[in-house]
Amino acid sequence: MRAERHGRQRMRGWRAQGIPAPEQTSVAQLVWLLLLITVVSAPHLRTLPFWISAIIFVAAIWRMGAAFKRWPMPGTILRGTLTLGSALAVGFVYRQISGLEAGSALLLIMLALKLLETHSARDRSLVVLIAWFVLFAAFLREQSLGSVPLLAAGVVAGTVALLQAARNNSQVMTPLAALLLTARLLMHAVPLALALFLLFPRLPGPLWALPSGAQNGRTGLSSQMSPGDITSLAQSSEAAFRVRFDGTPPDRSQLYWRGPVLESFDGRRWRALPDGARRQKSGRPLPPNPADAPVYSYEIMLEPHHQRWLLPLETPLSWDIAAASLSPARELLSARPVATRSAWRGRSVATPRFRDARAPEQATREVSAARNPRSAALAAEMRAAAGSDRAYLRSVLSMFRQQAYYYTLEPPPLGDHPVDDFLFRTRSGFCEHYASAFALLARAAGIPARVVTGYQGGEPNPLADYWIVRQSDAHAWTEVWVDGYWQRYDPTAAVAPQRVDAGMAAALPGSVNTELPLLGSSPWFGRVAFGWDALNAQWDRWVLAFGPDQQSALLGRLGFTSPSLRDLALVCAATVGIILLLFTWLTLRNHGAKPDPLEQSWQYLCKRLARLSRPRKPGEAPTEYAAVLIAAQPELAAPLGSLTALYLRLRYEGIPDRAEVLRFRRLVRQFRLPPAGARG
Amino acid sequence: MQLSRPALAALMQRWFRRRQGADGDSIELHQRRIYILPTRIGLGFGVVLFTMLLGALNYSNNMGFALAFLLTAVTVVSIHHCQRNLTGLRLAIDGCAPVFAGEMIECSVRITNPGRSPRWQISAGPAGALTPPVDLAADGSAKLQLCLPTTRRGTQPCPEIRVSTRYPFGLFEAWAWLYPVRELMVYPQPAAELAAALPAQAADLEHAGDTLRGSDEFVGLRVPVPGESPARIAWKALARSGQLLAKDFRSGAGSSWFDWDVLNPAGTEARLSLLTRMILDADADGRAYGLRLPGVELPPDKGREHYHRCLTTLAVFSLGAAHEG
């Protein structure tokens, strides 16, 4: 019944004549799709498992074979099986299918399998849409300056592929025509895109919790430290942040960038003290600026590390982020984890000690009795020998300096009493070993002490006015409570003074230097690398750090005193509207039919004649109109009669000769209306 | 839902029609009669863009924003290009010659591009039954062929014609409706064969014989009827083949009358079909013929004009109206 009704519905209207050709994908269309897939999958292949690249490769080969050699394409059942199987494999490998890595893997597999099902225009377009989403996923992992060419290539290849995909397989455009059209469309689109980028209201925080995948594989400091943690960071030349000083920067050895402060120690692992375990609940007013210590102001551009530490220069005086606060342990913390590149300005006094009116936490005195007994005994012995706390601490440092202690990136493994093992057996370690041992020795002698982690030093970019601080600059040092001050002691500096003066690469034996992908290993390569980093820093500063604050500043310049989200939305809508109107006007201006010069001249003549008696009625024949005018103004008979005759001849006797049309135009221009007095 | 969609489409159609009015055979497409909506893949793309935007907002990912906004802008620009692709085109409807019921009415839409920029991928016909798209150079023109199946004789209004394009990306479809004022003519379906259609009406054939078989012009041989005049027996043919045949003569000078009443017992449609067949045959033979229907009488004549007039009369004939008249 329904079928019959449906059938009659279809009978009502016109139909295309003939039988439509079966839909297929031509080679030209396919080539663009493959190019697009190559572009968008390239950034993923480095991080994804090998078998995903293999699937994409096999799918591409198979599809090409189907196009050129008429290989059979996989049927529905095979495709369904492959889809299900790949989804299961991804779930098995990643233990989830929603994270960023797993999501990218799934998208790439979908892309490969959809490629094997490209018959109609819709299939082809769908491949382009999936490919663009894959490109988007790539930006979630990496958005340095190097991803700009990727964006350009992805958008251009995708646009051409979509243009070709939407066409009939027998009517694909030539590559040149398609590229020209794409260039035109993109040229039209860029102003609009720019307006949206600048003015579309951004939000200060995430809409929902970030999937864990976003932080996978990231290196950086953490709120706990056990032997080997910072050593692993030292292998990474990734930038942690960049910093620009106003005026002369401090000496390199004064550059201590303060990160998490670890106050609790169980004999093996240092941890930050949870807020619940504290007596003091909030930061105190800052210490007065010591008269002799200089104050530095600087701007820090942080790479996202998904933690709250802002890493100020020790010791911070002020900062321009309203929501940031100083923790009881004097860590400068932002209100929420730093999930994007963000910049902040601060002022610090570069001094190794600061006063604190509060007594140290109990935790900074605790020594685990069960572990490291030999260290505790050594501390008691040395403290008894020294006259004061300060003298004792000095003697510990000189012990590190004078005895056979080594600074190395490859410390031997430690046993159940890690500090004992380090002090008495292995005697070689990285900064965390020395900091840990020093703090323990201080505590065992009854002096409150804690471990501070962060970064030390940095590398000035010779081509630009900033310093790069890398993960390999990660450092751990100690703070000891002496005479009502927290005093910085850096035992690593006692063992390897070059570490603080010149950086880790200088402090370590040459063999390690080549393993580290640090810059500066060859002068030429170094310059290129620094230049690239300088460009990237500009990119980060001006493009990637663009967010709600910069939008507010932009609107501020336009005259909005305290722009709300609504103001922003209004400005955005207005700008987009104006751009669209302009664009419509510009493109429609030259779009209509070519004006006919003959017709233009005739209309011009009619307009002038209209003043004599009356306008020409629509549809009134030229001869009739001329007759009416001549009846009213007999002296017009000769000029008007010949003009009308010429017009009719040109209009209706074949295609008019160009010279004749120009003559008509000249005659119309020369035609003079009779003087006003002569008018009846 | 299934039922409401055609209903909705019909409602929209009525609205478009009321808004635009009827068209002559040649029109120019103005901006205000071009409609545009996303296609299914266009809607899918909208979902993809929205997801990208949400993702970029959530991760505050500026490259993500850049991609999402660039693609959004290209899409918005493509809406404009899609609509512009139809604007200003001149359409002329051609053909639509009458056909016999059951055949296809063929119609062609001539599209002319008077503009200075080329136009791309223009089709005619409803979604799902589009003509292969054509590209038009500046000042170029092309012809798109449409056809309409017919079932019943009579006149029918020319259905609306849809001209559409999905240029450039296939994400949006712009289309325009044409409502030609002309009426389409469908002649009755001709009976398959005269002799086969009439075997049961022998008695009437006696009567019809006077009309059908005049004695002027030899048209062929047939099986003789009982009591056939010896003058009509084809003796030469008998000598040659040994079979008894009669010569058949018909009135030659155009005095055949095709009479409704002769075919009395058959139903109205059957009789119209028979008459159509007679006219077709007579026209093919180049004979003159007249048509006599209740209330209508067309005197014998020849030629295309007469042929079409007769068939049109048959197409629109209605017994009730004739009796009343």
Side-chain angles (χ1 to χ4, degrees):
Chain A
M1 197 61 200
R2 168 168 293 177
E4 193 185 313
R5 176 179 313 183
H6 191 69
R8 222 182 299 151
Q9 274 289 336
R10 288 200 57 158
M11 296 288 266
R12 258 191 65 244
W14 293 102
R15 294 177 186 176
Q17 217 172 23
I19 304 147
E23 287 198 286
Q24 273 182 343
T25 298
S26 72
V27 171
Q29 289 167 326
L30 193 60
V31 165
W32 282 107
L33 289 180
L34 288 174
L35 184 68
L36 175 66
I37 290 175
T38 312
V39 168
V40 301
S41 56
H44 290 279
L45 297 184
R46 272 185 305 154
T47 48
L48 290 183
F50 167 75
W51 56 273
I52 290 178
S53 318
I55 287 180
I56 297 172
F57 190 70
V58 167
I61 295 288
W62 193 341
R63 189 62 186 83
M64 288 299 269
F68 283 110
K69 303 266 180 191
R70 306 266 147 234
W71 292 355
M73 297 256 266
T76 321
I77 296 173
L78 181 54
R79 273 202 319 271
T81 317
L82 282 174
T83 312
L84 201 67
S86 322
L88 284 176
V90 167
F92 180 75
V93 169
Y94 290 98
R95 306 272 164 214
Q96 59 168 352
I97 52 167
S98 62
L100 188 56
E101 299 256 320
S104 308
L106 266 187
L107 274 173
L108 278 166
I109 290 168
M110 268 169 64
L111 189 59
L113 293 178
K114 186 65 203 173
L115 186 64
L116 292 177
E117 193 202 356
T118 40
H119 306 292
S120 65
R122 181 177 298 161
D123 294 332
R124 295 189 291 266
S125 308
L126 210 55
V127 169
V128 178
L129 301 202
I130 300 174
W132 271 337
F133 209 80
V134 168
L135 183 64
F136 178 78
F139 292 145
L140 293 185
R141 297 149 168 272
E142 167 71 53
Q143 44 170 355
S144 69
L145 192 55
S147 55
V148 175
L150 186 67
L151 173 75
V155 169
V156 169
T159 310
V160 176
L162 193 57
L163 277 177
Q164 301 284 37
R167 294 188 145 240
N168 217 323
N169 61 343
S170 59
Q171 291 182 314
V172 288
M173 307 169 85
T174 63
L176 182 67
L179 279 170
L180 282 177
L181 180 58
T182 299
R184 216 157 65 96
L185 287 167
L186 287 176
M187 214 174 63
H188 290 162
V190 161
L192 187 60
L194 200 64
L196 285 171
F197 185 85
L198 291 177
L199 297 171
F200 186 85
R202 308 289 184 86
L203 300 177
L207 299 167
W208 67 88
L210 298 173
S212 55
Q215 296 153 44
N216 277 357
R218 285 189 191 270
T219 49
L221 300 172
S222 101
S223 58
Q224 46 179 290
M225 182 189 85
S226 50
D229 282 356
I230 294 192
T231 320
S232 71
L233 279 184
Q235 317 279 357
S236 162
S237 66
E238 238 176 80
F241 58 93
R242 294 177 178 81
V243 59
R244 184 191 310 272
F245 287 101
D246 301 342
T248 323
D251 190 66
R252 198 180 187 293
S253 62
Q254 286 185 301
L255 296 176
Y256 281 83
W257 307 101
R258 190 178 177 90
V261 177
L262 314 176
E263 291 179 312
S264 135
F265 184 53
D266 61 3
R268 180 172 182 82
R269 184 180 290 271
W270 290 87
R271 291 174 208 274
L273 205 58
D275 282 346
R278 268 178 207 290
R279 278 185 289 120
Q280 303 140 4
K281 291 301 177 201
S282 69
R284 278 297 188 84
L286 292 160
N289 180 12
D292 55 331
V295 173
Y296 296 98
S297 55
Y298 51 88
E299 185 186 48
I300 282 187
M301 171 75 67
L302 268 179
E303 295 290 307
H305 56 57
H306 301 280
Q307 305 283 1
R308 292 171 58 202
W309 309 302
L310 291 174
L311 301 162
L313 184 65
E314 224 167 49
T315 306
L317 293 176
S318 64
W319 48 90
D320 71 344
I321 310 174
S325 62
L326 209 57
S327 77
R330 287 184 185 266
E331 301 152 298
L332 187 57
L333 299 177
S334 82
R336 52 167 60 96
V338 179
T340 59
R341 274 187 191 75
S342 44
W344 64 275
R345 297 190 58 84
R347 284 169 67 244
S348 291
V349 46
T351 166
R353 63 181 198 152
F354 56 85
R355 187 187 292 279
D356 199 334
R358 301 161 300 180
E361 291 286 339
Q362 183 53 38
T364 60
R365 301 174 186 276
E366 277 166 8
V367 178
S368 161
R371 287 188 195 262
N372 307 311
R374 291 182 64 189
S375 308
L378 176 71
E381 184 188 319
M382 285 174 74
R383 177 66 186 86
S388 67
D389 283 353
R390 283 184 182 280
Y392 164 66
L393 294 170
R394 267 199 306 277
S395 68
V396 173
L397 286 184
S398 51
M399 171 184 84
F400 284 146
R401 196 176 301 128
Q402 285 154 14
Q403 296 185 22
Y405 282 98
Y406 302 99
Y407 180 60
T408 174
L409 255 181
E410 286 156 347
L414 302 173
D416 281 344
H417 304 286
V419 180
D420 282 4
D421 272 7
F422 166 67
L423 282 177
F424 301 103
R425 188 167 62 82
T426 66
R427 292 185 167 232
S428 47
F430 203 56
C431 56
E432 70 260 43
H433 300 87
Y434 288 96
S436 173
F438 189 84
L440 176 68
L441 288 177
R443 285 188 182 188
I447 313 168
R450 59 194 184 191
V451 168
V452 183
T453 57
Y455 297 88
Q456 200 283 320
E459 189 174 17
N461 188 328
L463 301 182
D465 173 30
Y466 66 87
W467 292 58
I468 313 168
V469 178
R470 302 176 190 284
Q471 294 298 347
S472 55
D473 293 317
H475 194 47
W477 60 94
T478 54
E479 250 172 21
V480 182
W481 178 256
V482 196
D483 303 336
Y485 283 94
W486 279 109
Q487 171 79 41
R488 182 205 305 145
Y489 281 86
D490 189 350
T492 312
V495 184
Q498 310 95 310
R499 167 65 185 90
V500 266
D501 294 336
M504 188 186 66
L508 286 167
S511 62
V512 185
N513 218 344
T514 54
E515 283 173 30
L516 286 174
L518 286 177
L519 301 179
S521 46
S522 101
W524 182 83
F525 179 76
R527 277 188 76 78
V528 171
F530 274 121
W532 178 243
D533 193 83
L535 279 178
N536 253 306
Q538 292 298 319
W539 171 250
D540 289 352
R541 187 181 157 92
W542 296 109
V543 181
L544 295 188
F546 188 84
D549 300 338
Q550 286 76 4
Q551 276 188 329
S552 294
L554 189 68
L555 252 66
R557 282 203 208 157
L558 295 177
F560 288 82
T561 40
S562 57
S564 66
L565 213 60
R566 208 172 124 255
D567 292 339
L568 198 57
L570 282 177
V571 172
C572 181
T575 313
V576 166
I578 290 170
I579 289 176
L580 284 181
L581 275 179
L582 262 176
F583 165 66
T584 310
W585 178 70
L586 280 174
T587 50
L588 282 184
R589 205 177 39 156
N590 289 324
H591 186 64
K594 265 179 268 183
D596 177 355
L598 178 65
E599 197 55 39
Q600 268 183 324
S601 298
W602 171 247
Q603 292 298 339
Y604 174 70
L605 179 65
C606 287
K607 218 162 79 182
R608 286 176 64 194
L609 289 170
R611 277 184 281 157
L612 275 186
S613 70
R614 63 165 176 81
R616 191 167 75 97
K617 293 175 193 160
E620 187 174 20
T623 44
E624 286 171 29
Y625 185 50
V628 169
L629 290 170
I630 291 168
Q633 301 270 326
E635 69 271 25
L636 280 178
L640 198 54
S642 67
L643 272 178
T644 313
L646 181 57
Y647 170 69
L648 289 176
R649 188 166 64 75
L650 292 175
R651 173 91 297 173
Y652 296 108
E653 286 180 10
I655 297 161
D657 181 42
R658 193 174 150 71
E660 289 281 279
V661 172
L662 289 178
R663 190 167 75 89
F664 178 71
R665 196 167 72 177
R666 202 172 56 243
L667 288 174
V668 167
R669 293 242 174 92
Q670 287 165 355
F671 175 76
R672 291 278 167 265
L673 292 176
R679 290 182 199 168
Chain B
M1 195 64 198
Q2 277 292 344
L3 282 176
S4 74
R5 255 176 81 167
L8 189 70
L11 205 70
M12 294 270 286
Q13 200 52 253
R14 278 220 302 279
W15 180 74
F16 291 146
R17 174 84 208 230
R18 218 174 35 233
R19 193 170 163 262
Q20 283 179 213
D23 297 314
D25 279 353
S26 171
I27 57 148
E28 186 173 329
L29 290 182
H30 290 291
Q31 198 111 15
R32 58 183 297 274
R33 65 188 294 160
I34 297 171
Y35 307 94
I36 187 159
L37 275 180
T39 58
R40 263 172 66 182
I41 195 83
L43 289 176
F45 189 49
V47 173
V48 167
L49 282 182
F50 186 70
T51 316
M52 277 189 193
L53 188 63
L54 277 187
L57 268 178
N58 198 46
Y59 290 90
S60 301
N61 186 296
N62 274 356
M63 282 304 278
F65 274 121
L67 178 66
F69 288 145
L70 201 52
L71 295 184
T72 307
V74 170
T75 311
V76 169
V77 164
S78 88
I79 297 175
H80 177 79
H81 279 261
C82 185
Q83 190 181 21
R84 202 175 75 130
N85 198 34
L86 287 188
T87 309
L89 288 181
R90 297 201 179 117
L91 307 177
I93 293 140
D94 241 350
C96 308
V99 296
F100 296 98
E103 293 178 351
M104 295 274 194
I105 298 184
E106 291 183 4
C107 146
S108 66
V109 184
R110 170 164 287 281
I111 306 181
T112 315
N113 174 15
R116 272 171 287 185
S117 41
R119 310 303 181 93
W120 310 97
Q121 299 284 296
I122 293 159
S123 308
L130 289 168
T131 59
V134 291
D135 292 344
L136 295 173
D139 280 329
S141 71
K143 218 172 200 178
L144 297 173
Q145 297 288 342
L146 291 174
C147 60
L148 184 70
T150 58
T151 48
R152 290 182 298 115
R153 70 181 172 93
T155 58
Q156 56 186 68
C158 181
E160 62 280 358
I161 295 177
R162 190 175 188 274
V163 175
S164 63
T165 185
R166 292 185 165 197
Y167 171 86
F169 293 136
L171 301 178
F172 285 82
E173 185 176 64
W175 76 94
W177 287 109
L178 271 72
Y179 298 103
V181 278
R182 65 163 66 191
E183 296 219 302
L184 303 176
M185 179 60 67
V186 182
Y187 298 151
Q189 190 169 25
E193 209 182 320
L194 201 53
L198 296 175
Q201 286 116 24
D204 294 303
L205 275 177
E206 285 296 317
H207 173 70
D210 292 344
T211 326
L212 291 172
R213 294 175 202 143
S215 50
D216 297 328
E217 192 183 327
F218 174 72
V219 286
L221 297 172
R222 59 178 170 80
V223 178
V225 294
E228 187 78 64
S229 155
R232 289 208 166 182
I233 300 298
W235 299 110
K236 283 180 187 165
L238 177 66
R240 221 172 25 240
S241 63
Q243 194 180 358
L244 188 65
L245 290 169
K247 290 182 206 167
D248 201 0
F249 292 91
R250 291 189 186 173
S251 50
S255 54
S256 296
W257 277 98
F258 300 148
D259 194 336
W260 171 269
D261 291 328
V262 173
L263 308 167
N264 208 10
T268 305
E269 294 306 319
R271 278 202 267 193
L272 289 172
S273 282
L274 284 170
L275 287 170
T276 306
R277 167 55 60 190
M278 290 172 180
I279 289 173
L280 273 179
D281 289 350
D283 184 69
D285 294 348
R287 284 178 282 123
Y289 48 89
L291 186 61
R292 196 176 287 140
L293 299 176
V296 189
E297 195 172 294
L298 295 171
D301 199 351
K302 281 186 186 178
R304 299 315 294 165
E305 206 179 315
H306 179 65
Y307 168 81
H308 284 299
R309 193 182 311 125
C310 289
L311 289 175
T312 305
T313 311
L314 291 180
V316 301
F317 176 74
S318 141
L319 196 56
H323 282 185
E324 278 159 27

